[in-house]
Amino acid sequence: MDLCHVPATREKGWYLALMAPNVKGPNYAWLDPSRLYCHPQALQDCVADLLQPFQGDAIDVVAGIDAMGFILGAAAAATLRKGFLAIRKAGHLCVQTVAQPYTDYSGREKVMEVRTDAISPGLRILLVDQWVETGGTMRAAIELVERLGGGLCVPTGVAAICMENSEGGKWIQERYKCSHCVPSHLQPRFDQHQ
């Protein structure tokens, strides 16, 4: 599919065909959605699909997870006319932060952080990332939000292009309102990385 073509019928997830499989090996995600972001209608439809379940929900700020979650998170924040909060990999913020260790989809131990002055009790936050594979990265972001909110700040929801039915993905889906773009009939293929 070229980057100018828009299908006559645009069903939820039509833009998933723009993604490309990993050709670089096991240290990379199995699928790359970044080409989807280059297609103007695909990006708009993807963000609309992610936000649809949250229509009518009170959201104060959208938080995107470093780095690819910044793209979808910022687009969602602009669409909602809300602020955007960057949840960063450790060592990138020059202000006071709180940190949370986690294990990413490849099994690597990492640390993410967020500025301490951006989250207050009662703030309603939509957490956005590109993908939830094992759930480790998103769970760490949830823990940061809840800790900074003193237990009085729980995510309004979690959104990602795909939320795999891994143990961690299920943990998130059981506890939070979630949104993703993969149609149910395709979910098994995504879970099996096909």
Side-chain angles (χ1 to χ4, degrees):
M1 183 180 301
D2 71 46
L3 295 179
C4 297
H5 175 74
V6 178
T9 304
R10 298 190 333 255
E11 296 178 13
K12 178 181 177 181
W14 70 268
Y15 41 79
L16 297 174
L18 290 165
M19 299 188 300
N22 171 359
V23 296
K24 290 191 171 183
N27 289 336
Y28 295 86
W30 73 277
L31 196 61
D32 177 38
S34 62
R35 187 167 176 242
L36 181 160
Y37 308 144
C38 298
H39 190 294
Q41 189 64 57
L43 179 58
Q44 289 176 42
D45 288 355
C46 178
V47 170
D49 287 345
L50 287 176
L51 294 177
Q52 194 283 324
F54 303 105
Q55 296 300 314
D57 291 359
I59 295 171
D60 298 313
V61 68
V62 177
I65 299 172
D66 199 345
M68 297 306 276
F70 291 170
I71 297 165
L72 288 175
T79 300
L80 294 171
R81 299 176 158 239
K82 301 296 178 182
F84 175 77
L85 171 64
I87 298 179
R88 301 293 316 265
K89 292 174 186 158
H92 294 281
L93 294 169
C94 64
V95 295
Q96 289 284 45
T97 62
V98 62
Q100 179 66 42
Y102 69 101
T103 304
D104 75 2
Y105 66 89
S106 69
R108 291 179 281 193
E109 296 294 322
K110 295 184 176 181
V111 177
M112 71 172 53
E113 61 187 9
V114 67
R115 55 186 311 132
T116 57
D117 61 354
I119 298 174
S120 56
L123 196 65
R124 296 162 301 198
I125 299 174
L126 175 62
L127 286 165
V128 179
D129 202 359
Q130 177 172 271
W131 211 268
V132 174
E133 192 167 339
T134 62
T137 305
M138 184 59 74
R139 190 166 179 173
I142 290 168
E143 289 172 6
L144 280 173
V145 165
E146 291 178 347
R147 191 164 29 143
L148 275 174
L152 300 173
C153 183
V154 256
T156 297
V158 173
I161 291 175
C162 178
M163 298 191 74
E164 294 184 24
N165 285 319
S166 60
E167 182 179 327
K170 288 177 185 174
W171 184 92
I172 293 164
Q173 292 179 63
E174 289 167 0
R175 288 164 177 78
Y176 302 94
K177 186 173 188 176
C178 294
S179 174
H180 64 92
C181 302
V182 177
S184 58
H185 70 281
L186 293 177
Q187 187 68 47
R189 293 182 63 191
F190 280 77
D191 292 339
Q192 296 165 13
H193 294 188
Q194 296 177 343

